[in-house]
Amino acid sequence: MKLNPYSLIRMSVKCKILPNHILLEQVSNLISEGEDVVLRVKGESMMPFIHGDRDSVVLTHAYEVSVGDIVLCELRPDKYVMHRIIVIRGRMLTLMGDGNYVDVEVCDTSSVRGVVVR
């Protein structure tokens, strides 16, 4: 049986699935330490641009944010969301998933844990 090189790579990688609140807390810590983090996304709220369980994003420290940026925010302890900024008023951000039509989240800029750069 002949395997292509990509199959061999996939076979050698161990995957560990963690609950979002544990994983995203660790991601947040790494970003705050200056690391960029590649994260495979879950959920469908960012479709059609980002597909859950298919696409990955690169998150980095957010020195400043702008309308249109996709950010990882901690809305409350153990509750994270990665959505696009649609409005900025002072320190308050309004976020919405690209696949959402009515639901938004409002948070302070201090709750931003990272910004998607790719």
Side-chain angles (χ1 to χ4, degrees), residues 3 7 15 18-19 22 28 31 34 37 57 59 66 77 80 84 92 98 108 112 114-115:
L3 295 174
S7 296
C15 292
L18 299 172
I22 293 172
S28 177
I31 292 169
V37 177
V57 296
L59 290 153
S66 302
Y80 291 84
R84 191 176 306 277
M92 299 307 294
D98 293 341
D108 188 88
V112 174
V115 62

Side-chain angles (χ1 to χ4, degrees), residues 67 83-89 92-96 103-107:
V67 170
H83 283 163
R84 191 176 306 277
I85 298 172
I86 60 170
V87 175
I88 299 176
R89 286 199 180 102
M92 299 307 294
L93 306 175
T94 303
L95 311 174
M96 179 183 262
D103 294 332
V104 297
E105 298 87 18
V106 178
C107 60

Side-chain angles (χ1 to χ4, degrees), residues 2-104:
K2 185 176 179 182
L3 295 174
N4 72 42
Y6 298 107
S7 296
L8 294 174
I9 291 170
R10 266 191 236 129
M11 290 171 51
S12 66
V13 174
K14 292 182 182 179
C15 292
K16 187 170 189 175
I17 297 174
L18 299 172
N20 272 352
H21 70 278
I22 293 172
L23 174 65
L24 295 176
E25 180 180 341
Q26 295 305 311
V27 166
S28 177
N29 291 340
L30 287 168
I31 292 169
S32 70
E33 294 168 3
E35 299 289 332
D36 289 352
V37 177
V38 177
L39 180 67
R40 187 157 191 181
V41 298
K42 294 174 112 182
E44 303 300 325
S45 66
M46 290 301 292
M47 283 184 56
F49 302 107
I50 300 173
H51 291 253
D53 295 321
R54 183 192 80 178
D55 297 333
S56 296
V57 296
V58 178
L59 290 153
T60 193
H61 182 75
Y63 293 99
E64 62 181 66
V65 294
S66 302
V67 170
D69 288 346
I70 299 172
V71 292
L72 174 66
C73 289
E74 185 175 9
L75 298 178
R76 60 180 186 271
D78 297 340
K79 174 68 174 165
Y80 291 84
V81 67
M82 188 171 58
H83 283 163
R84 191 176 306 277
I85 298 172
I86 60 170
V87 175
I88 299 176
R89 286 199 180 102
R91 294 183 49 85
M92 299 307 294
L93 306 175
T94 303
L95 311 174
M96 179 183 262
D98 293 341
N100 292 342
Y101 298 106
V102 292
D103 294 332
V104 297

